[in-house]
Amino acid sequence: MNLTSMIPELLSALPLTLGIMFVAMIVGFFLALIATVFRVRRIPVISQVVDLYVSYARSVPVVLQLFVAFYGLPLVAEQFGFSDFVTANIAAMIGLSLYHGGYLSEVMRPAFLAVERGQHDAADSMGYSFRQKMLRIVGPQAVHYALPGYGNAIIYLIHNVALVMYIGAADVMATAHLIMERDYNQYQFGTYLVLAVLYSLLCGVAWLIIRFFEQRHAKYSSKTAARVKFTSV
């Protein structure tokens, strides 16, 4: 088998890689959103527990978090009679979701705090609830501050998806290693080069999407924040 014929086989594993990435991206986003709300509102006990979760997600190497998910989740699932539910793919999705959520929370929280205090006070004086204030006033400005860090978080997530091979998930990286072992490591350089191009394309697409949203939210920069208009409920 030559290098050209390997490419379709590598691409056949791409849907699983994208599936793990998108699940971790979506679930991690909502975990980060919930964690950020608890952290900025400083709810007793809950905020401390969330801080501990964020510290775990940011401090423990991602590959170790995947091992914890792969070996730990079946023990938890067994208590509820679902011991066969946690496969390598499920563990990869859950492990990366927890990692991404914790990491992303440290992007969202500073973005929220970066919004001028006067914006919060003005919304409070208008009688806005916390939800209304976030959706109409503070949220759009916080999104502008968070987008660059969010773009980095997505790129780091794409990179870390390659680690799921260590817990047995058959992503493109694991498929590449199987191909090389089958062909007695004849095309190592070419195979890794194809993977490098593939991951570069994924990161490039992510960067373009984030850049598009950055341009759309430019009106919420610090130069224009003072011109945000308040509307009555």
Side-chain angles (χ1 to χ4, degrees), residues 197-228:
V197 171
L198 181 60
Y199 278 102
S200 295
L201 289 174
L202 290 176
C203 290
V205 171
W207 180 84
L208 289 173
I209 294 173
I210 295 298
R211 183 61 180 165
F212 169 77
F213 283 106
E214 283 181 353
Q215 292 174 345
R216 288 200 62 181
H217 281 78
K219 62 182 178 180
Y220 295 109
S221 66
S222 58
K223 294 180 180 179
T224 58
R227 294 198 294 269
V228 174

Side-chain angles (χ1 to χ4, degrees), residues 123-210:
D124 293 337
S125 68
M126 295 290 293
Y128 281 26
S129 66
F130 181 79
R131 177 176 174 274
Q132 291 172 325
K133 180 170 68 172
M134 289 301 300
L135 290 177
R136 299 189 180 190
I137 307 301
V138 178
Q141 296 178 62
V143 167
H144 170 75
Y145 291 118
L147 277 173
Y150 181 68
N152 288 334
I154 294 297
I155 289 175
Y156 293 150
L157 176 63
I158 294 172
H159 293 171
N160 289 320
V161 171
L163 298 174
V164 302
M165 63 167 287
Y166 291 110
I167 61 173
D171 70 323
V172 290
M173 184 67 76
T175 302
H177 279 260
L178 289 174
I179 292 173
M180 288 187 289
E181 290 176 5
R182 185 183 63 206
D183 294 335
Y184 305 102
N185 296 324
Q186 293 184 67
Y187 305 105
Q188 288 178 311
F189 173 73
T191 304
Y192 285 127
L193 186 61
V194 170
L195 286 177
V197 171
L198 181 60
Y199 278 102
S200 295
L201 289 174
L202 290 176
C203 290
V205 171
W207 180 84
L208 289 173
I209 294 173
I210 295 298

